[in-house]
Amino acid sequence: MKPTIVPRATLGRLPVYLQYLKSLPAEAGSNVSATTIAKALGLGEVQVRKDLSAVSGAGKPKIGYAVAELIEQLEDCLGSRDRSRAVLVGAGKLGRALFDYRGFDAFGIDIVAAFDRSLERAEHSDSGKTIYPMEEFGAFCKREAIRIGILTVPAAAAQSVCEEMVRCGITAIWSFSPGQLTVPEGVVLRQENLALSLAYLTMQIKTDSLGASDEEKD
Amino acid sequence: MKPTIVPRATLGRLPVYLQYLKSLPAEAGSNVSATTIAKALGLGEVQVRKDLSAVSGAGKPKIGYAVAELIEQLEDCLGSRDRSRAVLVGAGKLGRALFDYRGFDAFGIDIVAAFDRSLERAEHSDSGKTIYPMEEFGAFCKREAIRIGILTVPAAAAQSVCEEMVRCGITAIWSFSPGQLTVPEGVVLRQENLALSLAYLTMQIKTDSLGASDEEKD
C-alpha cells in the first residue's frame, strides 16, 4: 500500500463508497463501474473517478473496478484493518461528548481512554469506556504506544498537557483548548476554535444583510 | 461602520487586541503604535498592521492608532455592542457542551436557548440556561428574531430540523450533524465534521511515519 495524503473532502466520502460497495449483492457481479456508483450515491461521475483514483488505480474501460479489491483499498485507507488509537485529556463536557461520539469509528479511529486531572480513581463514561486519573496517563500511553492525543482541557492547562503528551510519545495533537500552543518539530498539531467558527459564520450573515460582498469563503 | 468580511485568522486575533487595548493604563496616552502592540503581544509588526487595517484605517506615522477609537472599532467588529443571539437544537452531550461553552462571548455571540425533541417541559443546563421542548422552537425564534441556529441532532433528524430552522427565519446554520444538508439560497450553512478532522490528522501522521510527502496542509 502506497501511503498518500488523500484530500480532506475525498476522505469524507470514502466511508460512503465503502458502505455502498459492501452493500452490493453477490449477484451484482465482481465489477462495478464509476457510472453505477455515481448514480447510486447521487454524486457526479467525474468526482467518483477522482475520489477513487486517490485510493485505487483507475477503473478499467468497460469493466470498471474490481469490487473486492476496491473494498480492500478503501479499508486500508480508512484504517479499518489498521485502526488508530487515540487518548483524550480533559473529561469535561466537550471531552466526554467526543469520547463517547461514535462517528470516529467509520474512519478507523478508537479513542481508547480518557484522562482527567480531577479524578482520584478511574470511572466510566456514559458509553462504558474508562476515564483514568491523570497520574496514569504516561504509563498508559507508553504501554499502549499511543500516537494521537485529543486535548480538551481549559486554556491555562493546555500547553503543559500538550508537552506531557509529547513526552509520552504522542505525535499528533488535536486541540479544542483556546490559546496558542507550540509543539516541537515532528509533532502535528491541529487546533479547533469553535468560537471562531461560529463567529465567522455570524459575520457572514451580518455582512450579507448589510449588502457587503462575500468574497472570502471558508 | 463599513461591513466587511474580516479574514478568519485575523478575526481570531481581534479579541486579543481588544483585551490588550482595554488593559492599557490611562497614563499610557491616547495613542498606541503598531510596534508597541506587536511587542506586547509577541506578534509581528506587519501582521498587527494588516490585522488592524481590516477594522480600522492605517495607523498615523509617528502617532499610531487612537486607542479609544480602535477599541470602538474592534468592539463593533466583534459585535460587543451589537451581540448576535443564536439558538441550539439537540441537547445531547455535544449540544450541551456547546450551549454552556463560554468562549463564544468574546466574539459577541450568545446562545440564548436550546431545544430538544425529547423534553416534555423546559429544564436548565449546568450553567443555568434554559432548554425548551422542541414545540416551543418556532414561537421562540420568531418572537426573538433569531437568525443563527446550531444543529447538534442525530443525522436522521438533521435535514428536517434544518428546514424547520429556515422556516422560522434562521439564515445561518452551524451543523455538527453528520451527512449532507441542503439549504435554500440565502441561507449560510457551515458543516463541521469532527470525525473527518481527526481522521485527517491521523492520516498525516500515518503517512509521515511511512515517509510520504505531506503536500496538502489543512
Side-chain angles (χ1 to χ4, degrees):
Chain A
M1 172 194 156
K2 187 168 57 94
T4 44
I5 289 272
V6 172
R8 196 179 141 96
T10 297
L11 183 60
R13 285 186 291 268
L14 296 189
V16 181
Y17 294 121
L18 180 59
Q19 194 181 18
Y20 168 70
L21 293 171
K22 284 181 157 180
S23 76
L24 289 176
E27 313 85 88
S30 57
N31 294 296
V32 64
S33 70
T35 317
T36 306
I37 299 174
K39 264 190 200 156
L41 299 175
L43 296 169
E45 211 178 306
V46 173
Q47 183 165 73
V48 170
R49 284 183 207 284
K50 194 163 163 257
D51 284 348
L52 296 180
S53 76
V55 292
S56 174
K60 288 189 187 119
K62 310 232 173 183
I63 294 176
Y65 303 89
V67 175
E69 192 185 338
L70 189 52
I71 286 178
E72 198 172 301
Q73 289 161 332
L74 285 166
E75 285 183 337
D76 268 342
C77 184
L78 286 169
S80 312
R81 286 127 47 98
D82 171 24
R83 299 184 67 83
S84 298
R85 288 165 315 137
V87 293
L88 180 147
V89 178
K93 263 183 280 194
L94 180 62
R96 284 169 190 254
L98 291 174
F99 191 37
D100 283 338
Y101 180 61
R102 291 195 188 84
F104 299 122
D105 193 60
F107 292 99
I109 297 165
D110 300 316
I111 309 180
V112 293
F115 296 84
D116 197 285
R117 211 167 278 286
S118 74
L119 295 188
E120 290 190 7
R121 53 181 187 180
E123 60 175 58
H124 291 294
S125 74
D126 289 350
S127 73
K129 301 205 285 186
T130 311
I131 309 171
Y132 297 94
M134 195 60 195
E135 287 69 34
E136 304 187 24
F137 180 75
F140 185 97
C141 290
K142 284 172 192 166
R143 189 174 68 237
E144 303 285 331
I146 301 293
R147 294 287 169 266
I148 304 161
I150 303 171
L151 196 62
T152 47
V153 300
Q159 183 62 40
S160 73
V161 174
C162 190
E163 287 163 16
E164 197 162 346
M165 284 182 167
V166 173
R167 271 197 303 277
C168 298
I170 284 176
T171 55
I173 297 174
W174 189 34
S175 170
F176 287 82
S177 301
Q180 198 58 47
L181 296 176
T182 53
V183 293
E185 207 172 324
V187 174
V188 185
L189 172 69
R190 181 184 166 99
Q191 293 196 270
E192 298 286 340
N193 188 332
L194 295 178
L196 178 55
S197 293
L198 182 54
Y200 195 69
L201 181 77
T202 305
M203 177 178 281
Q204 285 177 307
I205 60 162
K206 277 194 179 171
T207 48
D208 274 5
S209 67
L210 289 166
S213 68
D214 179 12
E215 280 176 23
E216 199 187 5
K217 294 281 182 192
D218 192 355
Chain B
M1 171 195 158
K2 186 168 59 93
T4 44
I5 290 273
V6 173
R8 196 179 140 96
T10 297
L11 183 60
R13 286 185 291 269
L14 296 188
V16 181
Y17 293 121
L18 181 58
Q19 196 181 17
Y20 167 70
L21 293 170
K22 283 181 158 179
S23 76
L24 289 176
E27 313 85 88
S30 58
N31 295 296
V32 64
S33 70
T35 317
T36 307
I37 299 175
K39 265 189 198 156
L41 299 175
L43 295 169
E45 210 178 306
V46 174
Q47 182 165 74
V48 170
R49 284 184 206 285
K50 195 165 162 253
D51 285 347
L52 295 181
S53 76
V55 292
S56 175
K60 288 191 189 118
K62 310 227 172 186
I63 295 177
Y65 303 88
V67 175
E69 191 185 339
L70 189 51
I71 286 178
E72 197 171 302
Q73 289 160 332
L74 285 166
E75 284 183 338
D76 268 341
C77 185
L78 286 168
S80 314
R81 285 127 46 99
D82 171 24
R83 299 184 68 82
S84 298
R85 288 166 315 138
V87 293
L88 180 146
V89 177
K93 264 183 279 193
L94 179 62
R96 283 169 190 255
L98 291 173
F99 191 36
D100 283 338
Y101 181 61
R102 290 197 188 82
F104 299 122
D105 192 61
F107 292 99
I109 297 165
D110 300 318
I111 309 180
V112 292
F115 296 84
D116 197 285
R117 210 167 279 287
S118 73
L119 295 187
E120 289 191 8
R121 54 180 187 180
E123 61 176 58
H124 291 295
S125 74
D126 289 350
S127 74
K129 300 203 287 186
T130 310
I131 308 171
Y132 297 93
M134 194 61 196
E135 287 69 36
E136 303 187 26
F137 180 74
F140 185 97
C141 290
K142 285 171 192 168
R143 187 175 69 236
E144 302 287 331
I146 301 292
R147 294 287 169 266
I148 304 160
I150 303 171
L151 196 61
T152 47
V153 300
Q159 183 61 41
S160 74
V161 173
C162 189
E163 287 162 16
E164 196 163 345
M165 284 182 166
V166 173
R167 270 197 303 277
C168 297
I170 283 175
T171 56
I173 297 174
W174 189 34
S175 170
F176 287 82
S177 301
Q180 198 56 49
L181 295 176
T182 52
V183 293
E185 207 171 325
V187 174
V188 185
L189 171 70
R190 181 184 166 98
Q191 293 196 270
E192 297 286 340
N193 187 332
L194 296 178
L196 180 55
S197 294
L198 181 54
Y200 195 69
L201 180 76
T202 304
M203 175 177 284
Q204 285 177 307
I205 60 161
K206 277 193 180 174
T207 49
D208 273 5
S209 66
L210 290 165
S213 68
D214 179 13
E215 282 175 19
E216 198 185 6
K217 295 279 183 194
D218 191 353

